[in-house]
Amino acid sequence: MQFSQGIRMAWKSIIANKLRTLLTMLGIVIGVASVITLVAIGSGTKQEVEAQMSSLGTNLLSVTISGRGAVSSLTIEEAEQMGELDGVQAVSPVVSGSVQAKYKSNNANVSVEGITASYEEVRSIHVQSGRYITGIDVEYRQKVALLGTGTAETLFGNANPVGQSIALNGNRYKVVGLLEKQGSSLGGSNDNKILIPISTGSRLLQTKGVQSVYIQAASDANMDVVEMALETELTKRFRGNENSYNIFNQADLIETITSVSTTLSNTLAGIAGISLLVGGIGIMNIMLVSVTERTREIGIRKSIGAKRKDILLQFLLEALVISGLSGAFGVAASYAATYLLTQSGTTAIMTWDTIALSFIFSFAIGITFGIFPANKASRLKPVDALRYD
């Protein structure tokens, strides 16, 4: 029997039992669609997290001062001296806290960060209108402020805040710039904040020393070197008390999140793959029923010269056609699901390798679970098959 003839016979058998074939295909369709869709969601989430973290800078180190031990603080001058370490491109010390911001009858509790002019370069946070905080603002303790989009909306609605004055804990500050929208990250919204000069921020928040220092390395390649130099400098400063500070490497976090996201995606795909096995059992079940129903047909074909391999090929091709069609419908269903998820705001990215692997796996299911019924059909003796009622 020719291969094309076997395909035609398999197709005629499938068409003759449309409802039964459809129900058999359902398990494979759901399995393929689930695997591709879940992997697409995992890939989209991974890309979104990586984009958010990369926007903060893969060559960024941050030092958090916990304030423990005999020497528990770091001055602004000491923090800025870290810029002299080999491989360091820029340093931005920060003081932070929470204040009551008020404009006319509108008020809100917001986080405030006291910054230097280098904050813009180190953190890649820019203004969409107005100007940034400059070195002169820091040197002369100017009461100027930059508003995040969330804070600006709370205090000013849709009006332009640049040029207006707000009160921070009763102190009047002039708004000189509106920050670009940052969105949310693992720590929450990045738009509900106010930036002011670090000199006035220290006085407003009544802080002793800086709480954080952001250090930008000249390149990703020398991050480890900069981190070691920073560790040495801080150990010297805090007299070996490592509990007084913590160094955080942005690249390490990105790597960890990527690893966790990949593991989660693979786990979800594995769970969804179980439905493919269930679908395979369905194919074997229906093929065994088909062999039983067509026993006399098998007997007639064998009596007129059909060989065992012809019968084996006929039923195996039938299982492959069912699994192949199921895989195609599963891919189409995953496309539709991914489109709907994207429209609803969920990032989902389909990849060709996932589609190909799912499709190949559906064919493998057809072969694996179709070989037993096909072999059973091919072993029937013509006399016994013709006598079957």
Side-chain angles (χ1 to χ4, degrees):
M1 182 180 66
Q2 294 181 349
F3 184 81
S4 59
Q5 184 183 2
I7 293 289
R8 287 196 298 271
M9 292 179 67
W11 180 251
K12 287 180 180 179
S13 176
I14 291 170
I15 292 297
N17 300 279
K18 297 183 184 68
L19 182 59
R20 188 171 70 183
T21 303
L22 182 63
L23 293 174
T24 304
M25 292 169 58
L26 200 57
I28 301 290
V29 171
I30 293 173
V32 171
S34 299
V35 169
I36 296 176
T37 303
L38 287 173
V39 171
I41 293 173
S43 299
T45 303
K46 176 182 173 183
Q47 187 182 84
E48 192 172 344
V49 170
E50 285 180 348
Q52 287 183 357
M53 299 308 297
S54 295
S55 66
L56 298 177
T58 55
N59 61 338
L60 185 67
L61 290 167
S62 59
V63 178
T64 303
I65 309 301
S66 57
R68 299 174 184 174
V71 181
S72 59
S73 64
L74 195 70
T75 66
I76 297 173
E77 292 75 17
E78 289 171 336
E80 290 183 330
Q81 286 175 4
M82 295 179 184
E84 300 174 4
L85 296 175
D86 291 338
V88 175
Q89 180 172 313
V91 172
S92 177
V94 174
V95 297
S96 58
S98 181
V99 299
Q100 182 78 14
K102 184 175 183 180
Y103 175 74
K104 294 183 178 179
S105 60
N106 300 325
N107 62 82
N109 284 315
V110 296
S111 63
V112 168
E113 291 185 0
I115 64 168
T116 60
S118 59
Y119 186 89
E120 180 179 17
E121 176 190 354
V122 175
R123 299 301 309 277
S124 295
I125 298 177
H126 310 288
V127 293
Q128 57 178 290
S129 62
R131 67 171 179 85
Y132 219 81
I133 289 172
T134 65
I136 294 176
D137 294 325
V138 175
E139 184 179 355
Y140 291 97
R141 301 179 183 273
Q142 298 296 307
K143 291 186 177 182
V144 293
L146 306 176
L147 301 188
T149 53
T151 303
E153 186 176 349
T154 301
L155 297 179
F156 294 90
N158 295 324
N160 184 9
V162 177
Q164 304 296 324
S165 293
I166 60 174
L168 302 180
N169 285 355
N171 297 282
R172 187 176 177 179
Y173 281 74
K174 183 180 180 180
V175 179
V176 295
L178 177 64
L179 297 172
E180 292 178 344
K181 187 174 180 61
Q182 302 298 312
S184 299
S185 62
L186 299 177
S189 175
N190 294 315
D191 296 316
N192 295 323
K193 65 166 60 176
I194 297 175
L195 304 182
I196 60 177
I198 193 170
S199 53
T200 52
S202 298
R203 180 177 296 178
L204 176 68
L205 300 171
Q206 297 181 349
T207 59
K208 182 182 178 182
V210 300
Q211 285 88 35
S212 303
V213 185
Y214 295 102
I215 298 165
Q216 184 182 46
S219 66
D220 295 348
N222 62 353
M223 285 287 286
D224 292 338
V225 175
V226 173
E227 188 172 358
M228 289 180 62
L230 191 58
E231 181 77 39
T232 302
E233 186 68 22
L234 289 170
T235 301
K236 187 189 301 181
R237 166 61 189 165
F238 289 99
R239 300 174 185 174
N241 185 5
E242 296 182 357
N243 293 325
S244 295
Y245 63 90
N246 180 54
I247 301 176
F248 179 75
N249 191 330
Q250 194 77 25
D252 290 343
L253 178 62
I254 294 174
E255 185 178 344
T256 301
I257 291 176
T258 301
S259 176
V260 170
S261 179
T262 302
T263 302
L264 182 60
S265 297
N266 292 338
T267 303
L268 291 174
I271 294 171
I274 295 174
S275 61
L276 281 174
L277 296 177
V278 174
I281 295 171
I283 288 178
M284 183 171 66
N285 220 4
I286 205 66
M287 291 304 297
L288 286 171
V289 172
S290 181
V291 169
T292 303
E293 289 179 345
R294 295 157 63 186
T295 301
R296 287 181 64 83
E297 176 195 330
I298 295 168
I300 292 170
R301 291 195 64 210
K302 279 201 165 187
S303 66
I304 61 176
K307 298 179 180 179
R308 182 188 169 192
K309 67 177 183 179
D310 296 328
I311 304 299
L312 181 68
L313 181 62
Q314 176 188 348
F315 283 89
L316 190 57
L317 284 176
E318 192 170 320
L320 283 174
V321 169
I322 291 174
S323 61
L325 285 173
S326 302
F329 283 123
V331 171
S334 65
Y335 262 108
T338 302
Y339 175 78
L340 293 174
L341 287 169
T342 303
Q343 294 300 309
S344 65
T346 301
T347 304
I349 301 173
M350 292 182 65
T351 56
W352 284 109
D353 56 344
T354 305
I355 295 173
L357 283 173
S358 299
F359 211 87
I360 291 169
F361 194 52
S362 68
F363 270 112
I365 289 289
I367 294 173
T368 303
F369 289 94
I371 194 72
F372 176 72
N375 188 55
K376 181 182 178 182
S378 69
R379 287 180 178 276
L380 287 173
K381 296 179 180 179
V383 176
D384 295 335
L386 288 169
R387 288 168 53 189
Y388 183 81
D389 188 4

